């Protein structure tokens, strides 16, 4: 016979700093790395694209980085599907 307390393990509780910094436990943070790398690459692309468009139009600061990231997000969301 098995002890019922062994079968019903309580889920790991997050400490306040794990919840604040990561939103998951420290052992689960490696799964966040691909999304972090993708985010950094998209931001770098947005900065480069914004500077290129502003230079092509002859204005400095006409299009902001935030606007470019929002447009890129809209385009990516409409082109790529989101997994279930």
């Amino acid at each position: 016979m098995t002890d019922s307390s062994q079968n019903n393990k309580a889920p790991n509780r997050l400490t306040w700093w794990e919840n604040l910094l990561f939103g998951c436990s420290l052992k689960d943070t490696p799964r966040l790395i691909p999304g972090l790398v993708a985010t950094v690459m998209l931001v770098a692309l947005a900065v480069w694209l914004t500077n290129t468009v502003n230079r092509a139009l002859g204005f400095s600061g006409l299009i902001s980085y935030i606007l470019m990231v929002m447009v890129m997000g809209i385009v990516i969301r409409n082109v790529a599907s989101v997994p279930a």
Side-chain angles (χ1 to χ4, degrees):
M1 213 187 226
T2 61
D3 187 18
S4 63
S5 63
Q6 290 177 349
N7 292 337
N8 297 329
K9 291 182 180 178
N12 293 339
R13 304 281 300 188
L14 298 178
T15 61
W16 66 270
W17 59 273
E18 285 176 330
N19 194 24
L20 178 69
L21 293 177
F22 307 113
C24 63
S25 66
L26 284 177
K27 69 178 183 174
D28 293 334
T29 54
R31 69 181 173 88
L32 302 176
I33 292 173
L36 183 62
V37 170
T39 301
V40 169
M41 290 182 358
L42 283 173
V43 167
L45 177 65
V47 168
W48 174 79
L49 192 58
T50 301
N51 290 337
T52 302
V53 169
N54 281 334
R55 228 178 293 121
L57 294 175
F59 293 102
S60 175
L62 179 65
I63 299 175
S64 71
Y65 300 129
I66 295 172
L67 178 63
M68 185 61 71
V69 169
M70 289 188 325
V71 169
M72 286 174 59
I74 291 168
V75 169
I76 290 171
R77 176 61 180 99
N78 284 316
V79 170
S81 63
V82 177

